[in-house]
Amino acid sequence: MPDRDPLSGADNAWRRMGRTDNLMTITGILWFDEKVTYEEVCDRLEERLLQFDRFTQKIGGRKRRFRRPYWETVEDFDIESHVYDISLPEPASDAKFQEFVGRLMSRPLDERRPLWEAYLIDDVDRGDGNAITFRINHSLGDGFALLYVLLGLADNPEDIELPIGNVPQAPNSDPSEARSTERKPNAHSDSGRSADEGADLSEIRFGKAGLAATTIKEMDYLLRMPDEADTSLRGELGSRKHASWTDGVELARIKDIKRQHDATVNDVLLAVTAGALRRELEDRGEDTEGLQLRCTVPVNLVPMADRTEQLGNGFGLAFLPLPVGEEDLGERIEFMSDNVGIEKLGVEAFLMYKLLDFGGMLPDMAQEQLMTMFEDRATGIVTNVPGPLNTIDFAGTEVTDMVFWVPQAVDQGLGISLITYGGSVRVGVAGDANLIPDADGLAKHFEAEIGHLEAQLDD
């Protein structure tokens, strides 16, 4: 790769959408059953992470008005300048860890350096183990690109089972450890609908007439979309963020429920999300009767097997209604089953991707004007990443759990991130402190909804 590589339009657009009250940074945590040392972490990241050039490059040409900035290789890159070894105040608790993560989310990464950092954290209230928190700017890649990177860090990449097909071989890796790129059936999908990060639409085919008609209809919808309903989950953003996460729930239980309702895993999780938001608003004394709220959902447009070492953003955003005012869980699942149409989401996402890619080619002010078209259109973002079905090892130690948080775009102050790993589903909640003063309370509403869901299964 040359020393200077221009940012793609989409990557540049996501970079520029970051602002002091809504940073474009993806945050994630890996927990370990036993302690890994700082030296082991640095050695593993130097060996595997730095295979991807983006992690040793910074943004050059940031002040150019009419030309895109470029990735520029940092000379004499030092891995230890990006990896920090810290301990949280005693006694250890999830609450202290969540507060720490929220503070990280509130602090921008420095574009004069490669746009990532990692924190090895002791005293995380997880027995004898510890954890790593990663922060990566969205301009480096989307959720699928970073899943590719994450799995490349594993000791046993050839043994990883994914519900979305295997990941490509990492750059510069040992050919004997090459992973098949043959696509496997999606374990989370049925009836042609997927529960990936939004959905994987790379193999969708339309007839010419059908595609043209659907595209015109969805473009008209995007341009004429009414403003989002007015609730306390929307409003003026600040620079302080909060983070929380739920306990894990067995994926097998979610699958039992989706079969009971002839739905998908994604339908069930979105129905749970709607119920958690209803509980939150009712706790605030707000009327939810008949209320629908929109969320933006990322839709993957590039299959996992086609991902490359350049990473990047290969997804678009679609707008999805949530039946927040519906108390009955079965009705909510049915609503989501009727409204999560892969063709509709696919065309919306493709159009939004093209708009973002185009916006990233324009001067800053022009992109900003373009993005104002989509303000007041959604309450938050909901993303679902299908992680490994089995657990992975990192530097000789098992990764027992993981969670991540997606950044929120434009004027949205709520991010809900679902990830499956090792047979469990976990929800990460991130919110602007002005709008979500108690992220842990919202996480508890998710747990209450999941408990309600499981109780119905047992009846």
Side-chain angles (χ1 to χ4, degrees):
M1 179 175 292
D3 287 341
R4 290 187 176 185
D5 185 27
L7 272 71
S8 72
D11 294 349
N12 194 37
W14 281 106
R15 178 190 73 88
R16 294 196 306 201
M17 273 194 282
R19 57 195 196 191
T20 55
D21 60 1
N22 233 353
L23 302 174
M24 285 296 107
T25 305
I26 299 168
T27 305
I29 300 175
L30 306 181
W31 278 278
F32 301 98
D33 63 343
E34 298 177 357
K35 287 187 184 295
V36 293
T37 68
Y38 179 79
E39 291 74 19
E40 288 171 333
V41 170
C42 289
D43 287 347
R44 173 48 53 92
L45 294 183
E46 189 160 35
E47 174 192 359
R48 301 284 184 86
L49 187 67
L50 301 192
Q51 296 179 106
F52 299 91
D53 292 329
R54 294 291 182 253
F55 289 90
T56 59
Q57 294 173 327
K58 63 180 180 179
I59 303 288
R62 299 188 306 276
K63 297 182 179 180
R64 300 197 296 186
R65 296 182 61 187
F66 300 108
R67 298 173 62 193
R68 279 175 291 155
Y70 49 83
W71 297 107
E72 181 178 29
T73 300
V74 173
E75 300 295 334
D76 301 321
F77 177 85
D78 179 10
I79 191 75
E80 293 188 7
S81 68
H82 285 262
V83 183
Y84 306 92
D85 189 6
I86 67 171
S87 295
L88 298 178
E90 295 183 353
S93 69
D94 274 357
K96 289 180 180 177
F97 198 179
Q98 290 167 359
E99 182 180 359
F100 171 75
V101 173
R103 289 177 178 173
L104 287 182
M105 287 180 178
S106 308
R107 184 173 61 80
L109 294 169
D110 187 350
E111 287 194 342
R112 296 171 299 179
R113 310 172 70 230
L115 290 171
W116 69 277
E117 60 188 16
Y119 294 81
L120 178 62
I121 303 167
D122 288 325
D123 303 318
V124 293
D125 196 23
R126 292 289 179 111
D128 295 330
N130 53 1
I132 299 177
T133 300
F134 288 96
R135 301 183 68 224
I136 300 173
N137 189 272
H138 214 318
S139 60
L140 271 71
D142 58 24
F144 269 29
L146 298 180
L147 181 62
Y148 171 25
V149 172
L150 170 65
L151 300 184
L153 299 178
D155 294 350
N156 52 330
E158 67 280 0
D159 297 329
I160 295 171
E161 300 175 32
L162 286 176
I164 52 173
N166 289 348
V167 299
Q169 180 181 347
N172 305 318
S173 60
D174 184 344
S176 67
E177 296 182 356
R179 286 162 281 171
S180 168
T181 58
E182 179 182 356
R183 292 179 60 76
K184 297 180 180 179
N186 188 332
H188 287 184
S189 66
D190 49 284
S191 304
R193 290 183 289 125
S194 169
D196 295 351
E197 186 188 8
D200 183 349
L201 304 172
S202 54
E203 296 179 358
I204 288 183
R205 298 290 183 267
F206 299 97
K208 290 183 179 180
L211 176 60
T214 304
T215 300
I216 292 171
K217 179 180 177 182
E218 294 308 320
M219 177 59 80
D220 181 67
Y221 169 73
L222 288 173
L223 294 176
R224 296 160 60 93
M225 189 188 309
D227 286 352
E228 176 69 315
D230 187 20
T231 72
S232 61
L233 296 174
R234 300 188 65 255
E236 184 176 351
L237 304 179
S239 60
R240 187 181 176 197
K241 309 301 174 184
H242 288 162
S244 187
W245 55 80
T246 68
D247 291 335
V249 58
E250 290 184 14
L251 180 60
R253 299 284 282 175
I254 302 294
K255 289 184 175 180
D256 287 341
I257 292 159
K258 70 102 174 175
R259 283 190 287 267
Q260 188 179 75
H261 290 273
D262 190 25
T264 68
V265 168
N266 209 33
D267 296 335
V268 174
L269 294 175
L270 288 169
V272 166
T273 299
L277 295 179
R278 177 181 56 80
R279 290 172 184 263
E280 177 71 17
L281 289 172
E282 290 183 350
D283 271 4
R284 300 182 184 195
E286 298 181 43
D287 183 15
T288 63
E289 185 175 357
L291 178 65
Q292 286 187 18
L293 296 179
R294 287 191 213 99
C295 63
T296 51
V297 292
V299 180
N300 182 44
L301 301 173
V302 180
M304 197 68 167
D306 292 346
R307 296 286 174 164
T308 73
E309 64 183 273
Q310 294 185 6
L311 306 177
N313 290 276
F315 75 101
L317 294 172
F319 293 86
L320 190 65
L322 295 176
V324 173
E326 177 57 63
E327 185 171 358
D328 184 80
L329 176 62
E331 291 293 327
R332 275 184 269 133
I333 294 175
E334 183 177 351
F335 178 94
M336 298 315 309
S337 183
D338 291 341
N339 283 274
V340 183
I342 195 167
E343 289 84 2
K344 178 182 185 298
L345 293 182
V347 172
E348 268 188 36
F350 180 75
L351 291 171
M352 288 297 295
Y353 171 79
K354 286 298 185 182
L355 283 172
L356 280 169
D357 192 47
F358 175 65
M361 303 284 190
L362 300 175
D364 289 24
M365 290 298 296
Q367 177 186 322
E368 189 174 334
Q369 286 295 111
L370 183 65
M371 294 312 299
T372 58
M373 296 168 53
F374 301 101
E375 290 183 349
D376 303 321
R377 296 295 187 265
T379 292
I381 184 168
V382 180
T383 186
N384 184 356
V385 172
L389 299 175
N390 54 335
T391 60
I392 65 175
D393 292 338
F394 177 97
T397 303
E398 183 182 15
V399 177
T400 56
D401 210 344
M402 62 177 66
V403 69
F404 80 107
W405 294 268
V406 65
Q408 300 84 62
V410 195
D411 62 339
Q412 298 171 25
L414 173 63
I416 296 167
S417 307
L418 304 106
I419 187 167
T420 56
Y421 175 69
S424 294
V425 180
R426 188 177 295 276
V427 182
V429 176
D432 187 273
N434 289 349
L435 307 177
I436 314 293
D438 182 13
D440 194 51
L442 182 53
K444 293 294 190 293
H445 290 320
F446 270 94
E447 292 177 345
E449 278 293 316
I450 291 169
H452 176 55
L453 177 146
E454 291 187 301
Q456 288 197 355
L457 183 65
D458 293 334
D459 288 343

